[in-house]
Amino acid sequence: MLSVTLRNLAVRLVVAIVLSFCQNLGSARADETTVMIDNFTFEPAQLTVKVGTTVTWKNRDDIPHTVVSAGKFRSKALDTDDDFSFTFTSAGDYAYFCSLHPHMTGTIKVE
């Protein structure tokens, strides 16, 4: 009887350790955020993220767009359903625009 109780206790302990480990893995992941490109706009146009966050722009428009921040990053022309990702490793304000449609602008504030 004691060996069964000890075995059950050991199984519970192992399960608790595995669950705790899995939760820690999830919290170690970097943040991710998506900006949608649709109807000639970036949505959201202004975004605040933490250092280490990866932002992905997804083109839902039926024509190509780009994502350009002078001297920081530049996507290729994104066709419908294409995406572009950039990981922000430094704090600061990042203004960006579509080089094909310069009236399309956005800002990422990295804290």
Side-chain angles (χ1 to χ4, degrees), residues 15-74:
V15 168
I17 291 170
V18 169
L19 288 175
S20 175
F21 180 74
C22 290
Q23 286 177 338
N24 287 338
L25 282 179
S27 64
R29 292 184 190 155
D31 290 334
E32 296 182 13
T33 301
T34 302
V35 174
M36 301 305 254
I37 304 169
D38 198 10
N39 199 26
F40 291 88
T41 62
F42 295 108
E43 184 59 39
Q46 297 178 359
L47 185 62
T48 301
V49 300
K50 295 179 182 177
V51 170
T53 299
T54 298
V55 176
T56 300
W57 288 263
K58 293 188 179 204
N59 185 9
R60 296 293 184 227
D61 237 335
D62 58 354
I63 62 169
H65 294 289
T66 64
V67 182
V68 179
S69 182
K72 309 289 186 202
F73 54 83
R74 173 181 289 275

Short mmCIF file of all heavy atoms in Angstrom, two decimals, residues 15-74:
data_model
loop_
_atom_site.label_atom_id
_atom_site.label_comp_id
_atom_site.label_asym_id
_atom_site.label_seq_id
_atom_site.Cartn_x
_atom_site.Cartn_y
_atom_site.Cartn_z
N VAL A 15 4.51 15.14 -13.08
CA VAL A 15 3.55 15.91 -13.88
C VAL A 15 3.64 17.39 -13.52
O VAL A 15 3.65 18.26 -14.39
CB VAL A 15 2.12 15.37 -13.68
CG1 VAL A 15 1.09 16.33 -14.27
CG2 VAL A 15 1.98 13.99 -14.31
N ALA A 16 3.75 17.71 -12.25
CA ALA A 16 3.86 19.11 -11.82
C ALA A 16 5.12 19.75 -12.37
O ALA A 16 5.11 20.89 -12.82
CB ALA A 16 3.81 19.19 -10.30
N ILE A 17 6.23 19.02 -12.34
CA ILE A 17 7.49 19.54 -12.86
C ILE A 17 7.40 19.79 -14.37
O ILE A 17 7.82 20.83 -14.87
CB ILE A 17 8.66 18.59 -12.52
CG1 ILE A 17 8.92 18.62 -11.02
CG2 ILE A 17 9.92 18.96 -13.30
CD1 ILE A 17 9.88 17.56 -10.52
N VAL A 18 6.83 18.85 -15.10
CA VAL A 18 6.68 19.00 -16.55
C VAL A 18 5.79 20.19 -16.88
O VAL A 18 6.11 21.00 -17.76
CB VAL A 18 6.14 17.70 -17.19
CG1 VAL A 18 5.73 17.92 -18.63
CG2 VAL A 18 7.19 16.60 -17.09
N LEU A 19 4.67 20.33 -16.18
CA LEU A 19 3.77 21.47 -16.43
C LEU A 19 4.46 22.79 -16.11
O LEU A 19 4.33 23.77 -16.86
CB LEU A 19 2.49 21.32 -15.61
CG LEU A 19 1.52 20.23 -16.08
CD1 LEU A 19 0.36 20.11 -15.11
CD2 LEU A 19 1.02 20.51 -17.48
N SER A 20 5.20 22.83 -15.04
CA SER A 20 5.93 24.05 -14.67
C SER A 20 6.96 24.39 -15.73
O SER A 20 7.11 25.54 -16.13
CB SER A 20 6.60 23.86 -13.32
OG SER A 20 7.39 24.97 -13.00
N PHE A 21 7.66 23.42 -16.23
CA PHE A 21 8.67 23.62 -17.29
C PHE A 21 8.01 24.15 -18.55
O PHE A 21 8.51 25.09 -19.17
CB PHE A 21 9.41 22.30 -17.57
CG PHE A 21 10.44 22.42 -18.64
CD1 PHE A 21 11.64 23.06 -18.39
CD2 PHE A 21 10.21 21.91 -19.91
CE1 PHE A 21 12.61 23.17 -19.38
CE2 PHE A 21 11.16 22.02 -20.90
CZ PHE A 21 12.37 22.65 -20.63
N CYS A 22 6.89 23.58 -18.93
CA CYS A 22 6.19 24.02 -20.15
C CYS A 22 5.70 25.46 -20.00
O CYS A 22 5.76 26.24 -20.95
CB CYS A 22 5.01 23.10 -20.46
SG CYS A 22 5.53 21.47 -21.03
N GLN A 23 5.23 25.85 -18.84
CA GLN A 23 4.78 27.22 -18.62
C GLN A 23 5.95 28.18 -18.72
O GLN A 23 5.83 29.27 -19.28
CB GLN A 23 4.11 27.36 -17.26
CG GLN A 23 2.74 26.75 -17.21
CD GLN A 23 2.13 26.83 -15.83
OE1 GLN A 23 2.82 26.96 -14.83
NE2 GLN A 23 0.81 26.75 -15.76
N ASN A 24 7.11 27.80 -18.21
CA ASN A 24 8.28 28.66 -18.30
C ASN A 24 8.74 28.82 -19.74
O ASN A 24 9.21 29.88 -20.12
CB ASN A 24 9.42 28.10 -17.45
CG ASN A 24 9.16 28.30 -15.97
OD1 ASN A 24 8.37 29.16 -15.58
ND2 ASN A 24 9.79 27.49 -15.14
N LEU A 25 8.62 27.79 -20.54
CA LEU A 25 8.98 27.91 -21.95
C LEU A 25 8.08 28.92 -22.64
O LEU A 25 8.53 29.72 -23.44
CB LEU A 25 8.84 26.55 -22.66
CG LEU A 25 9.95 25.55 -22.45
CD1 LEU A 25 9.63 24.26 -23.21
CD2 LEU A 25 11.28 26.10 -22.89
N GLY A 26 6.81 28.89 -22.35
CA GLY A 26 5.87 29.81 -22.96
C GLY A 26 6.16 31.25 -22.58
O GLY A 26 6.06 32.15 -23.41
N SER A 27 6.55 31.50 -21.36
CA SER A 27 6.82 32.86 -20.95
C SER A 27 8.16 33.36 -21.44
O SER A 27 8.40 34.55 -21.48
CB SER A 27 6.74 32.97 -19.43
OG SER A 27 7.76 32.20 -18.83
N ALA A 28 9.04 32.47 -21.88
CA ALA A 28 10.34 32.87 -22.39
C ALA A 28 10.27 33.35 -23.84
O ALA A 28 11.19 33.94 -24.34
CB ALA A 28 11.34 31.71 -22.28
N ARG A 29 9.18 33.08 -24.51
CA ARG A 29 9.03 33.50 -25.89
C ARG A 29 8.96 35.02 -25.98
O ARG A 29 8.42 35.69 -25.12
CB ARG A 29 7.75 32.94 -26.49
CG ARG A 29 7.78 31.47 -26.67
CD ARG A 29 6.50 31.03 -27.36
NE ARG A 29 6.41 29.60 -27.33
CZ ARG A 29 5.30 28.92 -27.40
NH1 ARG A 29 4.16 29.55 -27.51
NH2 ARG A 29 5.30 27.61 -27.37
N ALA A 30 9.50 35.54 -27.09
CA ALA A 30 9.40 36.98 -27.33
C ALA A 30 7.97 37.32 -27.72
O ALA A 30 7.23 36.49 -28.24
CB ALA A 30 10.37 37.37 -28.44
N ASP A 31 7.61 38.57 -27.47
CA ASP A 31 6.28 39.02 -27.86
C ASP A 31 6.19 39.13 -29.37
O ASP A 31 7.18 39.40 -30.05
CB ASP A 31 5.98 40.38 -27.23
CG ASP A 31 5.79 40.30 -25.72
OD1 ASP A 31 5.40 39.22 -25.25
OD2 ASP A 31 6.00 41.31 -25.06
N GLU A 32 5.00 38.94 -29.89
CA GLU A 32 4.74 39.09 -31.31
C GLU A 32 3.47 39.90 -31.49
O GLU A 32 2.52 39.76 -30.73
CB GLU A 32 4.57 37.72 -31.97
CG GLU A 32 5.83 36.88 -31.92
CD GLU A 32 5.68 35.54 -32.62
OE1 GLU A 32 4.70 35.34 -33.35
OE2 GLU A 32 6.56 34.69 -32.42
N THR A 33 3.49 40.78 -32.49
CA THR A 33 2.35 41.65 -32.79
C THR A 33 2.17 41.71 -34.29
O THR A 33 3.15 41.63 -35.04
CB THR A 33 2.61 43.07 -32.23
OG1 THR A 33 2.81 42.97 -30.83
CG2 THR A 33 1.44 43.99 -32.50
N THR A 34 0.93 41.87 -34.73
CA THR A 34 0.63 41.94 -36.16
C THR A 34 0.03 43.29 -36.52
O THR A 34 -0.82 43.80 -35.81
CB THR A 34 -0.35 40.81 -36.56
OG1 THR A 34 0.24 39.56 -36.21
CG2 THR A 34 -0.63 40.84 -38.06
N VAL A 35 0.50 43.84 -37.64
CA VAL A 35 -0.08 45.04 -38.23
C VAL A 35 -0.68 44.60 -39.56
O VAL A 35 0.01 43.99 -40.38
CB VAL A 35 0.98 46.14 -38.45
CG1 VAL A 35 0.38 47.32 -39.22
CG2 VAL A 35 1.58 46.59 -37.12
N MET A 36 -1.94 44.89 -39.77
CA MET A 36 -2.61 44.53 -41.02
C MET A 36 -2.49 45.68 -42.02
O MET A 36 -2.61 46.84 -41.63
CB MET A 36 -4.08 44.21 -40.77
CG MET A 36 -4.28 43.07 -39.80
SD MET A 36 -3.42 41.59 -40.31
CE MET A 36 -4.76 40.61 -40.85
N ILE A 37 -2.28 45.32 -43.27
CA ILE A 37 -2.28 46.30 -44.35
C ILE A 37 -3.55 46.04 -45.15
O ILE A 37 -3.72 44.95 -45.71
CB ILE A 37 -1.04 46.13 -45.26
CG1 ILE A 37 0.24 46.23 -44.44
CG2 ILE A 37 -1.08 47.16 -46.39
CD1 ILE A 37 1.49 45.82 -45.21
N ASP A 38 -4.43 47.03 -45.16
CA ASP A 38 -5.70 46.86 -45.86
C ASP A 38 -6.28 48.22 -46.20
O ASP A 38 -6.19 49.16 -45.40
CB ASP A 38 -6.69 46.08 -44.97
CG ASP A 38 -7.84 45.49 -45.77
OD1 ASP A 38 -7.81 45.51 -47.02
OD2 ASP A 38 -8.79 44.99 -45.13
N ASN A 39 -6.86 48.33 -47.39
CA ASN A 39 -7.51 49.56 -47.82
C ASN A 39 -6.56 50.76 -47.73
O ASN A 39 -6.93 51.82 -47.24
CB ASN A 39 -8.79 49.80 -47.02
CG ASN A 39 -9.71 50.77 -47.71
OD1 ASN A 39 -9.68 50.90 -48.93
ND2 ASN A 39 -10.53 51.45 -46.93
N PHE A 40 -5.29 50.53 -48.14
CA PHE A 40 -4.26 51.58 -48.15
C PHE A 40 -3.98 52.17 -46.77
O PHE A 40 -3.68 53.35 -46.64
CB PHE A 40 -4.63 52.69 -49.15
CG PHE A 40 -4.55 52.25 -50.58
CD1 PHE A 40 -5.64 51.68 -51.19
CD2 PHE A 40 -3.37 52.39 -51.30
CE1 PHE A 40 -5.58 51.26 -52.51
CE2 PHE A 40 -3.29 51.98 -52.62
CZ PHE A 40 -4.40 51.41 -53.23
N THR A 41 -4.08 51.34 -45.72
CA THR A 41 -3.75 51.78 -44.36
C THR A 41 -3.00 50.68 -43.62
O THR A 41 -3.10 49.50 -43.95
CB THR A 41 -5.01 52.14 -43.55
OG1 THR A 41 -5.82 50.98 -43.41
CG2 THR A 41 -5.80 53.27 -44.17
N PHE A 42 -2.24 51.10 -42.62
CA PHE A 42 -1.63 50.18 -41.65
C PHE A 42 -2.53 50.22 -40.43
O PHE A 42 -2.86 51.28 -39.92
CB PHE A 42 -0.22 50.65 -41.27
CG PHE A 42 0.77 50.62 -42.39
CD1 PHE A 42 1.22 51.79 -42.97
CD2 PHE A 42 1.26 49.42 -42.86
CE1 PHE A 42 2.16 51.78 -44.00
CE2 PHE A 42 2.20 49.38 -43.90
CZ PHE A 42 2.64 50.57 -44.46
N GLU A 43 -2.93 49.06 -39.93
CA GLU A 43 -3.83 48.99 -38.77
C GLU A 43 -3.28 48.05 -37.72
O GLU A 43 -3.17 46.85 -38.00
CB GLU A 43 -5.21 48.56 -39.21
CG GLU A 43 -6.25 48.55 -38.13
CD GLU A 43 -6.47 49.91 -37.47
OE1 GLU A 43 -6.45 50.94 -38.15
OE2 GLU A 43 -6.61 49.92 -36.24
N PRO A 44 -2.88 48.51 -36.55
CA PRO A 44 -2.95 49.89 -36.11
C PRO A 44 -1.82 50.72 -36.71
O PRO A 44 -0.73 50.21 -36.98
CB PRO A 44 -2.80 49.79 -34.59
CG PRO A 44 -1.99 48.55 -34.37
CD PRO A 44 -2.38 47.62 -35.49
N ALA A 45 -2.07 52.00 -36.91
CA ALA A 45 -1.08 52.90 -37.50
C ALA A 45 -0.03 53.30 -36.46
O ALA A 45 1.11 53.59 -36.81
CB ALA A 45 -1.75 54.14 -38.07
N GLN A 46 -0.40 53.31 -35.19
CA GLN A 46 0.53 53.61 -34.10
C GLN A 46 0.50 52.46 -33.11
O GLN A 46 -0.58 51.99 -32.73
CB GLN A 46 0.15 54.91 -33.42
CG GLN A 46 0.23 56.09 -34.36
CD GLN A 46 -0.20 57.37 -33.69
OE1 GLN A 46 -0.58 57.40 -32.53
NE2 GLN A 46 -0.15 58.47 -34.44
N LEU A 47 1.69 52.02 -32.73
CA LEU A 47 1.80 50.82 -31.90
C LEU A 47 2.94 51.03 -30.91
O LEU A 47 3.97 51.59 -31.27
CB LEU A 47 2.08 49.63 -32.80
CG LEU A 47 2.13 48.24 -32.23
CD1 LEU A 47 0.78 47.85 -31.63
CD2 LEU A 47 2.50 47.26 -33.33
N THR A 48 2.76 50.60 -29.67
CA THR A 48 3.82 50.62 -28.67
C THR A 48 4.12 49.18 -28.27
O THR A 48 3.21 48.42 -27.94
CB THR A 48 3.38 51.44 -27.43
OG1 THR A 48 3.07 52.78 -27.85
CG2 THR A 48 4.48 51.48 -26.39
N VAL A 49 5.41 48.82 -28.33
CA VAL A 49 5.84 47.46 -28.01
C VAL A 49 7.07 47.51 -27.12
O VAL A 49 7.69 48.56 -26.95
CB VAL A 49 6.15 46.65 -29.30
CG1 VAL A 49 4.91 46.54 -30.20
CG2 VAL A 49 7.31 47.25 -30.07
N LYS A 50 7.43 46.37 -26.58
CA LYS A 50 8.63 46.25 -25.76
C LYS A 50 9.81 45.85 -26.63
O LYS A 50 9.64 45.21 -27.67
CB LYS A 50 8.43 45.20 -24.67
CG LYS A 50 7.37 45.56 -23.66
CD LYS A 50 7.21 44.45 -22.64
CE LYS A 50 6.10 44.81 -21.67
NZ LYS A 50 5.86 43.76 -20.70
N VAL A 51 11.02 46.20 -26.18
CA VAL A 51 12.24 45.74 -26.86
C VAL A 51 12.19 44.22 -26.95
O VAL A 51 11.81 43.54 -26.01
CB VAL A 51 13.50 46.20 -26.09
CG1 VAL A 51 14.75 45.54 -26.65
CG2 VAL A 51 13.64 47.71 -26.13
N GLY A 52 12.54 43.68 -28.10
CA GLY A 52 12.52 42.23 -28.32
C GLY A 52 11.27 41.75 -29.02
O GLY A 52 11.18 40.58 -29.39
N THR A 53 10.29 42.63 -29.22
CA THR A 53 9.04 42.25 -29.87
C THR A 53 9.24 42.12 -31.37
O THR A 53 9.91 42.94 -31.99
CB THR A 53 7.94 43.29 -29.59
OG1 THR A 53 7.71 43.35 -28.18
CG2 THR A 53 6.64 42.96 -30.31
N THR A 54 8.64 41.10 -31.94
CA THR A 54 8.61 40.94 -33.40
C THR A 54 7.27 41.43 -33.90
O THR A 54 6.23 40.99 -33.43
CB THR A 54 8.81 39.47 -33.79
OG1 THR A 54 10.10 39.03 -33.33
CG2 THR A 54 8.73 39.29 -35.31
N VAL A 55 7.33 42.36 -34.84
CA VAL A 55 6.11 42.87 -35.48
C VAL A 55 6.05 42.28 -36.88
O VAL A 55 7.03 42.29 -37.61
CB VAL A 55 6.10 44.42 -35.55
CG1 VAL A 55 4.88 44.92 -36.30
CG2 VAL A 55 6.14 45.00 -34.14
N THR A 56 4.88 41.76 -37.23
CA THR A 56 4.65 41.21 -38.57
C THR A 56 3.58 42.03 -39.25
O THR A 56 2.50 42.23 -38.70
CB THR A 56 4.21 39.73 -38.49
OG1 THR A 56 5.25 38.98 -37.84
CG2 THR A 56 3.95 39.15 -39.87
N TRP A 57 3.90 42.51 -40.45
CA TRP A 57 2.94 43.22 -41.28
C TRP A 57 2.37 42.23 -42.28
O TRP A 57 3.13 41.52 -42.96
CB TRP A 57 3.61 44.36 -42.04
CG TRP A 57 4.01 45.52 -41.18
CD1 TRP A 57 3.31 46.67 -40.99
CD2 TRP A 57 5.21 45.68 -40.42
NE1 TRP A 57 3.99 47.52 -40.15
CE2 TRP A 57 5.16 46.93 -39.79
CE3 TRP A 57 6.33 44.87 -40.19
CZ2 TRP A 57 6.18 47.41 -38.96
CZ3 TRP A 57 7.33 45.33 -39.38
CH2 TRP A 57 7.24 46.58 -38.76
N LYS A 58 1.05 42.14 -42.39
CA LYS A 58 0.39 41.23 -43.32
C LYS A 58 -0.43 42.04 -44.31
O LYS A 58 -1.25 42.86 -43.92
CB LYS A 58 -0.54 40.27 -42.58
CG LYS A 58 0.21 39.31 -41.70
CD LYS A 58 -0.69 38.25 -41.12
CE LYS A 58 0.17 37.32 -40.28
NZ LYS A 58 -0.42 36.02 -40.14
N ASN A 59 -0.19 41.80 -45.60
CA ASN A 59 -0.91 42.53 -46.64
C ASN A 59 -2.22 41.83 -46.96
O ASN A 59 -2.24 40.74 -47.50
CB ASN A 59 -0.06 42.65 -47.91
CG ASN A 59 -0.73 43.52 -48.95
OD1 ASN A 59 -1.74 44.17 -48.69
ND2 ASN A 59 -0.17 43.52 -50.15
N ARG A 60 -3.33 42.48 -46.62
CA ARG A 60 -4.67 41.98 -46.94
C ARG A 60 -5.29 42.76 -48.10
O ARG A 60 -6.42 42.50 -48.49
CB ARG A 60 -5.58 42.08 -45.71
CG ARG A 60 -5.13 41.20 -44.56
CD ARG A 60 -5.27 39.74 -44.93
NE ARG A 60 -4.92 38.91 -43.79
CZ ARG A 60 -4.13 37.86 -43.89
NH1 ARG A 60 -3.60 37.53 -45.04
NH2 ARG A 60 -3.87 37.14 -42.83
N ASP A 61 -4.52 43.71 -48.65
CA ASP A 61 -4.99 44.48 -49.79
C ASP A 61 -4.83 43.67 -51.06
O ASP A 61 -4.07 42.69 -51.10
CB ASP A 61 -4.18 45.78 -49.92
CG ASP A 61 -5.04 47.02 -49.90
OD1 ASP A 61 -6.22 46.92 -50.25
OD2 ASP A 61 -4.52 48.09 -49.54
N ASP A 62 -5.51 44.09 -52.11
CA ASP A 62 -5.42 43.34 -53.37
C ASP A 62 -4.33 43.88 -54.29
O ASP A 62 -4.24 43.48 -55.45
CB ASP A 62 -6.78 43.31 -54.08
CG ASP A 62 -7.32 44.69 -54.38
OD1 ASP A 62 -6.71 45.69 -53.95
OD2 ASP A 62 -8.35 44.77 -55.06
N ILE A 63 -3.48 44.78 -53.78
CA ILE A 63 -2.33 45.28 -54.53
C ILE A 63 -1.10 45.25 -53.63
O ILE A 63 -1.22 45.20 -52.40
CB ILE A 63 -2.58 46.71 -55.06
CG1 ILE A 63 -2.78 47.66 -53.90
CG2 ILE A 63 -3.75 46.77 -56.01
CD1 ILE A 63 -2.76 49.10 -54.33
N PRO A 64 0.11 45.29 -54.23
CA PRO A 64 1.33 45.22 -53.43
C PRO A 64 1.56 46.47 -52.57
O PRO A 64 1.15 47.57 -52.93
CB PRO A 64 2.44 45.09 -54.47
CG PRO A 64 1.77 44.63 -55.71
CD PRO A 64 0.39 45.20 -55.66
N HIS A 65 2.25 46.26 -51.46
CA HIS A 65 2.68 47.33 -50.57
C HIS A 65 4.06 46.96 -50.04
O HIS A 65 4.47 45.80 -50.09
CB HIS A 65 1.72 47.51 -49.39
CG HIS A 65 0.37 47.99 -49.79
ND1 HIS A 65 0.14 49.27 -50.23
CD2 HIS A 65 -0.83 47.36 -49.82
CE1 HIS A 65 -1.15 49.42 -50.52
NE2 HIS A 65 -1.77 48.27 -50.27
N THR A 66 4.76 47.95 -49.48
CA THR A 66 6.04 47.71 -48.81
C THR A 66 5.95 48.28 -47.40
O THR A 66 5.04 49.03 -47.07
CB THR A 66 7.21 48.39 -49.54
OG1 THR A 66 7.03 49.81 -49.50
CG2 THR A 66 7.34 47.90 -50.98
N VAL A 67 6.94 47.93 -46.59
CA VAL A 67 7.08 48.48 -45.25
C VAL A 67 8.53 48.95 -45.14
O VAL A 67 9.45 48.13 -45.22
CB VAL A 67 6.78 47.42 -44.16
CG1 VAL A 67 6.89 48.03 -42.78
CG2 VAL A 67 5.41 46.80 -44.38
N VAL A 68 8.72 50.27 -44.99
CA VAL A 68 10.07 50.84 -45.01
C VAL A 68 10.24 51.81 -43.85
O VAL A 68 9.42 52.71 -43.67
CB VAL A 68 10.33 51.59 -46.33
CG1 VAL A 68 11.73 52.21 -46.33
CG2 VAL A 68 10.14 50.69 -47.53
N SER A 69 11.31 51.61 -43.08
CA SER A 69 11.72 52.58 -42.07
C SER A 69 13.15 52.95 -42.43
O SER A 69 14.07 52.12 -42.35
CB SER A 69 11.66 51.98 -40.67
OG SER A 69 12.03 52.95 -39.70
N ALA A 70 13.35 54.18 -42.88
CA ALA A 70 14.63 54.63 -43.42
C ALA A 70 15.80 54.25 -42.53
O ALA A 70 15.85 54.61 -41.35
CB ALA A 70 14.60 56.13 -43.65
N GLY A 71 16.72 53.49 -43.08
CA GLY A 71 17.91 53.07 -42.36
C GLY A 71 17.72 51.97 -41.35
O GLY A 71 18.68 51.53 -40.71
N LYS A 72 16.48 51.50 -41.17
CA LYS A 72 16.21 50.48 -40.15
C LYS A 72 15.79 49.14 -40.77
O LYS A 72 16.35 48.10 -40.47
CB LYS A 72 15.09 50.94 -39.20
CG LYS A 72 15.30 52.30 -38.60
CD LYS A 72 16.41 52.29 -37.59
CE LYS A 72 16.46 53.66 -36.93
NZ LYS A 72 17.71 53.98 -36.34
N PHE A 73 14.75 49.16 -41.62
CA PHE A 73 14.29 47.94 -42.27
C PHE A 73 13.55 48.29 -43.54
O PHE A 73 13.09 49.41 -43.73
CB PHE A 73 13.41 47.08 -41.33
CG PHE A 73 12.23 47.80 -40.73
CD1 PHE A 73 11.04 47.95 -41.44
CD2 PHE A 73 12.29 48.31 -39.45
CE1 PHE A 73 9.95 48.59 -40.87
CE2 PHE A 73 11.21 48.96 -38.87
CZ PHE A 73 10.04 49.10 -39.59
N ARG A 74 13.48 47.31 -44.44
CA ARG A 74 12.80 47.48 -45.73
C ARG A 74 12.31 46.11 -46.18
O ARG A 74 13.08 45.17 -46.29
CB ARG A 74 13.76 48.05 -46.76
CG ARG A 74 13.20 48.11 -48.17
CD ARG A 74 14.21 48.66 -49.17
NE ARG A 74 14.42 50.08 -48.99
CZ ARG A 74 13.66 51.02 -49.53
NH1 ARG A 74 12.65 50.69 -50.29
NH2 ARG A 74 13.92 52.28 -49.31
#
